[in-house]
Amino acid sequence: MCGIVGYFGNKNGAEVVVDGLKRLEYRGYDSWGLAAVGEGKLIKHKQVGKIGGFDLKRDLPKFGGEICIGHTRWATHGGVTETNSHPHFSCDKKIAVVHNGIVENYQELRSDLEKKGHKFVSQTDTEVIAHLIEQTLKITKDKTEAVRQSLKKLQGSYALGIIFEDEKLMIGARKGSPLVLGVGKDQTILGSDVPAFLKYTNKVVFLEEFEMVAISDQIKGGYEIKNVNSGKTVKPKITTIKWDATEAEKGGHPHFMIKEMLEQPQVIEKTIGMGKGELDKAAKMIEKAKRVYVVACGTALHAGMYGSYLLAKINKIMVQPISAGELHHFAPLFKKGDLVICVSQSGETADVLEAVKSAHSAGAKVLALVNVMGSSLMRAADFSLLTKAGPEICVLSTKAYVSQMAMFVMISGALSGKISNAKKVLGIAKKDIEKILSKKSLEKIKKMSKSLAKAQNIYALGRGINYPNALEACLKIKEVSYIHAEGFAGGDLKHGPIALIEKGVPVIIFASDDESEAEIISNAMEVKARGADVIGINYRNNEVFEQYLPIEKNGFYSPIASIVYPQLMAYYIALEKKFDPDKPRNLAKSVTVK
Ligand code: F6R
């Protein structure tokens, strides 16, 4: 995880980098730091905690330089201390490095460098990179070449930003962790993802695996990309990003979480506007496949589960969902002719990328449903459909979930040759979400959440098409409110979970106008008989519901709207408990390590 930003240009680089780090905080927020070259000196600042409230002009007015790198950390190697925070430096303090990833052979490299006299100050794997470059520079005077030679010795993953005190040069490199180059007029910016610098440029180069970039005034065009292994120059492919920079701003909202939940109707609108051609292509891949799997993590897996129910019910196609983290137990069984649908917001989740490798090595095809253009998943898949969430900054995935479910609806429509029907049902979902997000409804959820915030445990039940929502609702609640929450399939209730039900425990019931309505209502009665406080989400009220949250009749498509209620509950419970909904403890948005 972790986020990195690097600036080379004619502005105060530190301002751009601090701004970029604030946008990358979803990747980690244990500590942060900066290094800049100002007036020929390499200066640094490191701090434990979040960067959120930091103001460069107020807190560090003298800090600046036209070349600057910065890092926001999610600790893996070494505790959360100022010393362990990035940037890390060489012995002579003339080389500064920020790193996202894990250097797997750092112990071996470190002891070798220590034997050669290098003194280490931190417990991190990253520091070894700065010393390794310093050591290589004793043999190779060319800095870019010294970095390249050093990178060849690293095992594991890296996205790097490297600067030097004695040369106007910034180097970036990637292997296994994302790194994007923003190319603007008179400025070149490195970032772990596009929103880090979208404000300054929407022209980007997505670095490929084993690529490094040297940025310098001495290079024609300002930068040069090379392959780390061969040393050969690579022609850059510049992509224009269509996201609007304001989409990655809070836009007057107190948190990204509420802003992103409020954007859900537009997300559906954009999905409805998708082209038939790409949907038909995805549908063909599914039709042609002998066996179909959907592989993803967390929220994206829940969306994949929803897709598997939908394709079973509407298109009579069996799709097996598998958690990407568990896939290696099954991947040896993949065969030529299989299709693996990978669902991911970031497109950088390590376990999902591993799934792509396993599928390809078995001769299976990969269809990606991915939100981030140019992400590793998008580049590795045989074909990708870009979900329409736009930049999702809050660590908790909300609008991406809705966009992924909506994408499955469109795919299902393409499979049955009825895209117009898919658009119609999504239109109903969109209007329904608008109602759920109305002022009056928000007030109601806020009020409910006040008492939910006192609960020790919260449960959710759903059957069939509503089961993934029961899991997703509880994931949202536990992630941000730290209340124990668990979702169950209604049919499993009597096989154990009912033992947990006691007086006053809130149970959210997901019901809709499909064949399992009567059964889930009986589950609601069973838990109510044991003292539960039943919160019912359905198109019609029922006497078993203590509290009733209305949705429209929309059959198998109802879950797209009904998930918005628990998303809002999670948000308001977090506020009630004085937690920051955008930065839940221990979590980072993009899980780029296994
Ligand atoms: C939950 C959440 C995570 C992600 C999961 C997959 O709110 O955000 O469970 O859904 O880490 O991430 P992506 O979709 O980027 O592969």
Side-chain angles (χ1 to χ4, degrees):
M1 280 123 15
C2 307
I4 67 172
V5 189
Y7 181 84
F8 190 109
N10 52 15
K11 291 195 173 66
N12 179 355
E15 266 172 42
V16 180
V17 169
V18 166
D19 185 56
L21 289 180
K22 286 184 181 176
R23 288 163 209 281
L24 288 182
E25 259 201 317
Y26 68 82
R27 302 178 68 88
Y29 30 82
D30 296 338
S31 53
W32 61 275
L34 307 167
V37 191
E39 290 163 18
K41 272 240 133 328
L42 193 52
I43 51 174
K44 67 165 198 277
H45 178 78
K46 297 189 187 196
Q47 218 173 295
V48 167
K50 300 173 187 171
I51 195 171
F54 179 81
D55 180 334
L56 187 77
K57 282 203 182 112
R58 181 197 62 207
D59 302 328
L60 220 54
K62 293 209 174 85
F63 198 94
E66 292 175 351
I67 306 176
C68 181
I69 51 174
H71 184 272
T72 178
R73 181 167 187 244
W74 190 85
T76 53
H77 291 64
V80 180
T81 62
E82 208 176 288
T83 312
N84 285 337
S85 60
H86 299 215
H88 290 284
F89 294 84
S90 51
C91 291
D92 64 5
K93 307 283 179 264
K94 289 187 174 179
I95 306 168
V97 176
V98 289
H99 170 219
N100 169 32
I102 294 177
V103 180
E104 283 161 8
N105 58 337
Y106 83 99
Q107 278 165 323
E108 204 181 304
L109 292 169
R110 181 171 169 149
S111 64
D112 187 44
L113 287 160
E114 276 171 341
K115 278 186 208 135
K116 290 180 175 134
H118 287 262
K119 297 265 177 298
F120 283 76
V121 294
S122 77
Q123 286 86 49
T124 65
D125 54 329
T126 303
E127 196 186 347
V128 85
I129 304 172
H131 292 278
L132 192 58
I133 298 168
E134 184 177 38
Q135 184 64 28
T136 316
L137 273 169
K138 291 187 178 153
I139 311 153
T140 321
K141 292 289 162 232
D142 181 282
K143 294 200 168 58
T144 308
E145 187 52 23
V147 169
R148 190 175 81 81
Q149 293 300 342
S150 307
L151 295 181
K152 283 167 80 172
K153 297 195 175 126
L154 303 182
Q155 285 164 15
S157 57
Y158 55 75
L160 292 166
I162 305 161
I163 58 173
F164 305 87
E165 184 174 276
D166 49 9
E167 190 171 331
K168 272 189 94 184
L169 173 69
M170 179 165 79
I171 294 178
R174 78 158 278 178
K175 182 198 159 206
S177 297
L179 190 64
V180 193
L181 187 70
V183 284
K185 197 171 171 292
D186 302 326
Q187 56 190 358
T188 311
I189 312 171
L190 287 172
S192 292
D193 74 11
V194 174
F197 56 68
L198 194 54
K199 198 167 141 184
Y200 304 97
T201 180
N202 65 348
K203 301 267 183 286
V204 309
V205 179
F206 294 102
L207 291 185
E208 299 285 345
E209 286 294 272
F210 291 106
E211 278 183 2
M212 59 185 287
V213 57
I215 304 159
S216 155
D217 293 338
Q218 304 305 310
I219 299 172
K220 197 169 162 247
Y223 65 93
E224 183 182 26
I225 299 173
K226 280 185 179 178
N227 180 284
V228 171
N229 296 325
S230 67
K232 286 201 181 122
T233 301
V234 178
K235 198 167 173 264
K237 190 170 161 261
I238 299 178
T239 307
T240 305
I241 297 293
K242 294 201 183 93
W243 286 350
D244 181 343
T246 56
E247 285 184 78
E249 308 279 346
K250 275 191 206 149
H253 296 285
H255 303 100
F256 279 110
M257 186 173 174
I258 186 75
K259 181 204 171 229
E260 289 168 4
M261 289 188 291
L262 292 172
E263 283 168 354
Q264 294 182 114
Q266 291 97 283
V267 167
I268 296 186
E269 189 63 55
K270 285 185 187 154
T271 312
I272 293 174
M274 281 183 69
K276 184 173 176 306
E278 51 178 340
L279 289 165
D280 283 344
K281 190 165 174 189
K284 277 223 166 59
M285 288 176 85
I286 297 173
E287 272 163 359
K288 260 178 72 185
K290 289 204 181 94
R291 300 181 301 180
V292 187
Y293 300 90
V294 61
V295 176
C297 293
T299 293
L301 177 65
H302 299 153
M305 288 173 69
Y306 172 75
S308 78
Y309 278 100
L310 199 65
L311 267 62
K313 287 188 180 291
I314 309 279
N315 311 96
K316 315 291 174 232
I317 296 173
M318 174 79 184
V319 178
Q320 175 67 52
I322 307 179
S323 164
E326 289 295 307
L327 184 73
H328 53 284
H329 302 289
F330 304 100
L333 305 178
F334 280 160
K335 282 197 192 111
K336 192 164 185 272
D338 289 347
L339 176 71
V340 180
I341 306 177
C342 290
V343 187
S344 174
Q345 188 285 125
S346 63
E348 300 296 346
T349 300
D351 287 324
V352 175
L353 296 177
E354 202 55 39
V356 178
K357 278 193 202 149
S358 313
H360 280 160
S361 61
K365 292 262 184 268
V366 175
L367 165 65
L369 308 193
V370 58
N371 195 43
V372 177
M373 188 177 181
S375 57
S376 304
L377 175 60
M378 185 175 172
R379 283 175 296 154
D382 296 287
F383 184 61
S384 299
L385 289 175
L386 274 175
T387 49
K388 307 293 175 211
E392 191 180 63
I393 309 290
C394 175
V395 169
L396 273 81
S397 194
T398 54
K399 63 174 179 167
Y401 181 60
V402 161
S403 76
Q404 290 156 350
M405 287 201 286
M407 186 63 88
F408 275 111
V409 174
M410 293 297 273
I411 294 173
S412 164
L415 278 164
S416 48
K418 289 183 185 154
I419 294 187
S420 56
N421 187 56
K423 292 185 178 185
K424 190 174 137 223
V425 293
L426 285 179
I428 299 173
K430 179 192 163 222
K431 285 215 177 83
D432 207 4
I433 296 181
E434 278 165 357
K435 273 193 225 149
I436 298 170
L437 294 172
S438 69
K439 214 169 157 213
K440 202 167 149 213
S441 160
L442 291 182
E443 279 309 317
K444 181 175 167 183
I445 315 290
K446 197 170 170 181
K447 217 165 136 208
M448 273 176 73
S449 305
K450 265 194 191 308
S451 64
L452 284 173
K454 295 186 197 116
Q456 298 271 319
N457 304 289
I458 298 176
Y459 302 112
L461 293 175
R463 280 178 179 259
I465 202 95
N466 282 304
Y467 171 46
N469 263 6
L471 301 177
E472 176 59 12
C474 291
L475 179 62
K476 288 293 89 91
I477 292 169
K478 73 178 98 165
E479 276 182 302
V480 74
S481 73
Y482 319 137
I483 293 173
H484 169 242
E486 256 187 283
F488 302 106
D492 287 341
L493 186 67
K494 293 191 210 52
H495 299 281
I498 200 161
L500 294 165
I501 306 300
E502 54 187 2
K503 197 172 169 356
V505 66
V507 178
I508 304 167
I509 300 287
F510 286 96
S512 54
D513 53 322
D514 66 314
E515 76 276 355
S516 49
E517 186 190 355
E519 287 173 343
I520 196 75
I521 296 294
S522 3
N523 286 139
M525 293 192 174
E526 285 155 6
V527 293
K528 185 166 177 160
R530 284 155 185 88
D533 274 343
V534 177
I535 301 167
I537 307 178
N538 199 8
Y539 69 100
R540 56 178 171 178
N541 202 348
N542 190 295
E543 58 183 14
V544 72
F545 299 154
E546 231 87 42
Q547 302 187 71
Y548 168 57
L549 300 170
I551 51 165
E552 286 300 316
K553 257 186 163 177
N554 203 6
F556 295 141
Y557 312 98
S558 312
I560 300 174
S562 59
I563 193 59
V564 179
Y565 282 120
Q567 289 176 344
L568 290 164
M569 285 173 198
Y571 175 70
Y572 289 123
I573 298 173
L575 293 189
E576 183 62 28
K577 298 185 94 173
K578 310 257 175 307
F579 298 141
D580 180 349
D582 283 345
K583 298 188 185 81
R585 73 181 177 206
N586 304 337
L587 292 177
K589 189 161 184 66
S590 217
V591 186
T592 57
V593 289
K594 284 209 222 164

